[in-house]
Amino acid sequence: EVQLVESGGGLVKPGGSLRLSCAASGFTFGSYTMNWVRQAPGKGLEWVSSISRSSSYIYYADSVKGRFTVSRDNAKNSLFLQMNSLRAEDTAVYYCASQWLASFDVWGQGTMVTVSS
Amino acid sequence: SYELTQPPSVSVSPGQTVSITCSGDKLGDKYACWYQQKPGQSPVVVIYQDTKRPSGIPERFSGSNSGNTATLTISGTQAMDEADYYCQAWDTNTAGVFGTGTSVTVL
Protein backbone atom coordinates (compact mmCIF):
# COMPACT_ATOMS: atom_id res chain seq x y z
CA GLU A 1 0.00 0.00 0.00
CA VAL A 2 1.29 3.42 -0.97
CA GLN A 3 1.56 5.49 2.19
CA LEU A 4 2.99 8.72 3.57
CA VAL A 5 3.09 9.24 7.32
CA GLU A 6 4.03 12.60 8.82
CA SER A 7 5.31 13.10 12.34
CA GLY A 8 7.00 15.73 14.48
CA GLY A 9 4.21 18.26 14.92
CA GLY A 10 3.37 19.84 18.23
CA LEU A 11 3.15 23.03 20.25
CA VAL A 12 6.05 25.46 19.98
CA LYS A 13 6.59 29.03 21.13
CA PRO A 14 7.03 31.90 18.67
CA GLY A 15 10.62 32.01 17.50
CA GLY A 16 11.09 28.31 18.19
CA SER A 17 12.00 25.44 15.91
CA LEU A 18 10.46 22.14 14.89
CA ARG A 19 11.46 19.35 12.53
CA LEU A 20 8.82 17.44 10.64
CA SER A 21 9.35 14.02 9.11
CA CYS A 22 7.47 12.10 6.45
CA ALA A 23 7.98 8.35 6.09
CA ALA A 24 7.16 6.84 2.71
CA SER A 25 6.30 3.25 1.92
CA GLY A 26 4.80 1.20 -0.88
CA PHE A 27 6.48 3.07 -3.74
CA THR A 28 9.93 4.01 -5.03
CA PHE A 29 10.39 7.14 -2.96
CA GLY A 30 13.57 8.23 -4.71
CA SER A 31 11.80 8.46 -8.05
CA TYR A 32 9.46 11.25 -7.02
CA THR A 33 9.66 14.94 -6.33
CA MET A 34 8.20 15.55 -2.89
CA ASN A 35 6.34 18.49 -1.45
CA TRP A 36 5.09 20.00 1.79
CA VAL A 37 1.65 21.61 1.80
CA ARG A 38 -0.01 23.23 4.80
CA GLN A 39 -3.50 24.21 5.83
CA ALA A 40 -4.20 26.69 8.59
CA PRO A 41 -7.28 25.94 10.72
CA GLY A 42 -10.41 26.63 8.70
CA LYS A 43 -8.39 27.92 5.76
CA GLY A 44 -7.34 26.73 2.32
CA LEU A 45 -4.33 24.79 1.11
CA GLU A 46 -0.94 26.49 0.80
CA TRP A 47 2.05 24.98 -0.98
CA VAL A 48 5.18 25.28 1.18
CA SER A 49 8.13 23.60 -0.50
CA SER A 50 9.27 21.06 -3.07
CA ILE A 51 12.43 18.98 -3.45
CA SER A 52 13.43 17.07 -6.56
CA ARG A 53 14.33 13.40 -6.63
CA SER A 54 18.05 13.94 -6.09
CA SER A 55 17.67 17.12 -4.02
CA SER A 56 19.15 19.13 -6.88
CA TYR A 57 16.16 21.46 -7.13
CA ILE A 58 14.55 22.95 -4.04
CA TYR A 59 11.87 25.62 -3.96
CA TYR A 60 10.02 27.47 -1.20
CA ALA A 61 6.98 29.65 -0.86
CA ASP A 62 7.90 33.28 -0.17
CA SER A 63 6.15 33.00 3.20
CA VAL A 64 8.71 30.48 4.51
CA LYS A 65 11.83 31.27 2.50
CA GLY A 66 14.85 31.74 4.74
CA ARG A 67 13.14 30.08 7.72
CA PHE A 68 12.27 26.57 6.50
CA THR A 69 14.61 23.98 5.01
CA VAL A 70 13.44 20.87 3.16
CA SER A 71 15.60 17.77 2.80
CA ARG A 72 15.25 14.09 2.01
CA ASP A 73 17.02 10.79 2.61
CA ASN A 74 16.22 8.43 -0.25
CA ALA A 75 18.01 5.55 1.46
CA LYS A 76 15.58 5.86 4.37
CA ASN A 77 12.52 6.78 2.29
CA SER A 78 12.13 9.94 4.32
CA LEU A 79 11.32 13.61 3.77
CA PHE A 80 12.01 16.35 6.28
CA LEU A 81 11.06 19.96 6.97
CA GLN A 82 13.18 21.96 9.38
CA MET A 83 11.17 24.96 10.57
CA ASN A 84 12.96 27.79 12.35
CA SER A 85 11.86 31.22 13.59
CA LEU A 86 8.29 29.99 13.78
CA ARG A 87 5.44 32.49 13.80
CA ALA A 88 1.81 32.29 14.83
CA GLU A 89 0.85 32.33 11.16
CA ASP A 90 2.76 29.08 10.64
CA THR A 91 0.11 27.28 12.70
CA ALA A 92 -1.36 24.66 10.38
CA VAL A 93 -1.68 21.02 9.49
CA TYR A 94 1.38 20.11 7.45
CA TYR A 95 1.01 17.47 4.74
CA CYS A 96 3.70 15.79 2.73
CA ALA A 97 2.69 14.85 -0.80
CA SER A 98 4.34 13.10 -3.70
CA GLN A 99 4.31 14.83 -7.06
CA TRP A 100 3.44 13.13 -10.32
CA LEU A 101 2.65 14.78 -13.63
CA ALA A 102 2.36 18.24 -12.04
CA SER A 103 -0.13 17.13 -9.41
CA PHE A 104 0.08 15.92 -5.81
CA ASP A 105 -1.02 12.32 -6.19
CA VAL A 106 -0.44 10.85 -2.72
CA TRP A 107 -0.92 12.74 0.54
CA GLY A 108 -0.13 11.89 4.12
CA GLN A 109 -2.61 12.30 6.95
CA GLY A 110 -0.94 15.49 8.14
CA THR A 111 0.70 16.62 11.37
CA MET A 112 -0.48 19.63 13.37
CA VAL A 113 1.92 22.45 14.20
CA THR A 114 0.75 25.06 16.70
CA VAL A 115 2.82 28.16 17.32
CA SER A 116 1.66 29.89 20.49
CA SER A 117 3.03 31.32 23.70
CA SER B 1 2.80 36.27 -7.22
CA TYR B 2 0.45 34.07 -9.18
CA GLU B 3 -3.12 33.76 -7.93
CA LEU B 4 -5.97 31.37 -8.63
CA THR B 5 -9.50 32.51 -7.80
CA GLN B 6 -12.49 30.25 -7.15
CA PRO B 7 -16.05 31.02 -6.04
CA PRO B 8 -16.32 30.48 -2.26
CA SER B 9 -19.34 28.20 -2.51
CA VAL B 10 -21.75 26.53 -4.90
CA SER B 11 -24.82 24.42 -4.28
CA VAL B 12 -26.36 21.69 -6.37
CA SER B 13 -29.31 19.33 -6.17
CA PRO B 14 -28.65 15.59 -6.19
CA GLY B 15 -28.41 14.25 -9.73
CA GLN B 16 -27.73 17.66 -11.25
CA THR B 17 -24.56 19.08 -12.78
CA VAL B 18 -22.32 21.61 -11.08
CA SER B 19 -19.30 23.45 -12.46
CA ILE B 20 -16.56 25.10 -10.42
CA THR B 21 -14.34 27.68 -12.05
CA CYS B 22 -10.72 28.56 -11.32
CA SER B 23 -9.39 31.79 -12.77
CA GLY B 24 -5.77 32.81 -13.25
CA ASP B 25 -3.71 34.77 -15.73
CA LYS B 26 -3.07 32.58 -18.80
CA LEU B 27 -4.03 29.51 -16.76
CA GLY B 28 -4.73 27.68 -20.02
CA ASP B 29 -0.99 27.73 -20.73
CA LYS B 30 -0.37 25.68 -17.60
CA TYR B 31 -1.59 22.30 -16.40
CA ALA B 32 -4.42 22.55 -13.88
CA CYS B 33 -5.50 19.92 -11.41
CA TRP B 34 -8.28 19.61 -8.89
CA TYR B 35 -8.46 18.22 -5.36
CA GLN B 36 -11.40 17.14 -3.26
CA GLN B 37 -11.16 17.50 0.51
CA LYS B 38 -13.79 16.22 2.91
CA PRO B 39 -13.90 17.40 6.56
CA GLY B 40 -11.07 15.96 8.61
CA GLN B 41 -9.50 14.22 5.63
CA SER B 42 -6.48 14.80 3.42
CA PRO B 43 -7.04 16.13 -0.10
CA VAL B 44 -7.49 13.70 -2.98
CA VAL B 45 -6.67 14.52 -6.59
CA VAL B 46 -9.74 14.11 -8.82
CA ILE B 47 -8.40 15.70 -12.03
CA TYR B 48 -4.81 16.13 -13.22
CA GLN B 49 -3.29 17.57 -16.40
CA ASP B 50 -6.47 19.55 -17.04
CA THR B 51 -8.72 16.64 -18.03
CA LYS B 52 -7.40 13.31 -16.74
CA ARG B 53 -9.01 11.26 -13.99
CA PRO B 54 -6.87 9.11 -11.67
CA SER B 55 -7.92 5.50 -11.34
CA GLY B 56 -10.75 5.15 -8.86
CA ILE B 57 -12.22 8.60 -9.52
CA PRO B 58 -15.77 8.34 -10.90
CA GLU B 59 -16.47 9.32 -14.50
CA ARG B 60 -18.86 12.03 -13.30
CA PHE B 61 -15.80 14.19 -12.57
CA SER B 62 -14.41 16.00 -15.61
CA GLY B 63 -12.14 18.96 -16.24
CA SER B 64 -11.25 21.54 -18.86
CA ASN B 65 -8.78 24.39 -19.10
CA SER B 66 -8.60 27.20 -21.64
CA GLY B 67 -7.73 30.87 -21.70
CA ASN B 68 -7.77 32.14 -18.14
CA THR B 69 -10.17 29.57 -16.68
CA ALA B 70 -10.05 25.95 -15.62
CA THR B 71 -13.34 24.23 -14.84
CA LEU B 72 -14.23 21.18 -12.79
CA THR B 73 -17.61 19.68 -13.66
CA ILE B 74 -19.45 17.10 -11.59
CA SER B 75 -22.27 15.44 -13.51
CA GLY B 76 -25.02 13.57 -11.71
CA THR B 77 -23.81 14.94 -8.39
CA GLN B 78 -24.17 12.64 -5.41
CA ALA B 79 -24.37 13.43 -1.72
CA MET B 80 -20.89 11.96 -1.27
CA ASP B 81 -19.50 14.71 -3.52
CA GLU B 82 -20.19 17.33 -0.87
CA ALA B 83 -16.71 18.65 -0.03
CA ASP B 84 -14.24 21.47 -0.55
CA TYR B 85 -12.57 21.59 -3.95
CA TYR B 86 -9.26 23.26 -4.78
CA CYS B 87 -7.65 23.91 -8.12
CA GLN B 88 -3.86 23.94 -8.39
CA ALA B 89 -1.22 24.89 -10.93
CA TRP B 90 2.49 25.70 -11.04
CA ASP B 91 3.86 29.22 -11.37
CA THR B 92 6.84 29.11 -13.75
CA ASN B 93 7.22 25.43 -12.84
CA THR B 94 8.81 26.23 -9.51
CA ALA B 95 6.12 27.36 -7.12
CA GLY B 96 2.92 25.52 -6.41
CA VAL B 97 -0.24 27.59 -6.28
CA PHE B 98 -3.62 26.54 -4.94
CA GLY B 99 -6.92 28.19 -5.64
CA THR B 100 -8.93 29.84 -2.92
CA GLY B 101 -11.21 26.82 -2.58
CA THR B 102 -14.91 26.16 -3.24
CA SER B 103 -17.33 24.53 -0.85
CA VAL B 104 -19.81 22.34 -2.69
CA THR B 105 -23.12 21.74 -0.95
CA VAL B 106 -25.49 19.06 -2.20
CA LEU B 107 -28.96 20.17 -1.18
Side-chain angles (χ1 to χ4, degrees), chain A:
Chain A
E1 179 191 6
V2 174
Q3 196 171 17
L4 295 170
V5 178
E6 301 93 337
S7 61
L11 175 63
V12 61
K13 290 181 168 55
S17 298
L18 213 54
R19 189 187 194 222
L20 305 183
S21 299
C22 171
S25 60
F27 67 104
T28 308
F29 176 75
S31 297
Y32 291 84
T33 292
M34 296 297 296
N35 292 262
W36 288 98
V37 176
R38 68 183 181 183
Q39 186 170 35
K43 302 298 184 181
L45 300 171
E46 180 187 15
W47 172 83
V48 173
S49 179
S50 69
I51 181 168
S52 64
R53 293 173 291 181
S54 61
S55 305
S56 297
Y57 300 97
I58 291 175
Y59 305 105
Y60 299 98
D62 288 343
S63 57
V64 306
K65 202 171 295 183
R67 300 187 299 122
F68 290 11
T69 302
V70 64
S71 61
R72 65 190 295 165
D73 185 337
N74 289 342
K76 296 183 177 180
N77 293 332
S78 295
L79 174 72
F80 307 100
L81 187 67
Q82 177 67 42
M83 304 186 296
N84 298 330
S85 303
L86 282 162
R87 307 166 179 167
E89 53 265 35
D90 295 319
T91 295
V93 174
Y94 284 74
Y95 298 98
C96 64
S98 59
Q99 182 178 328
W100 183 70
L101 295 178
S103 71
F104 305 119
D105 64 327
V106 179
W107 296 66
Q109 86 289 350
T111 186
M112 183 70 204
V113 172
T114 302
V115 183
S116 174
S117 56

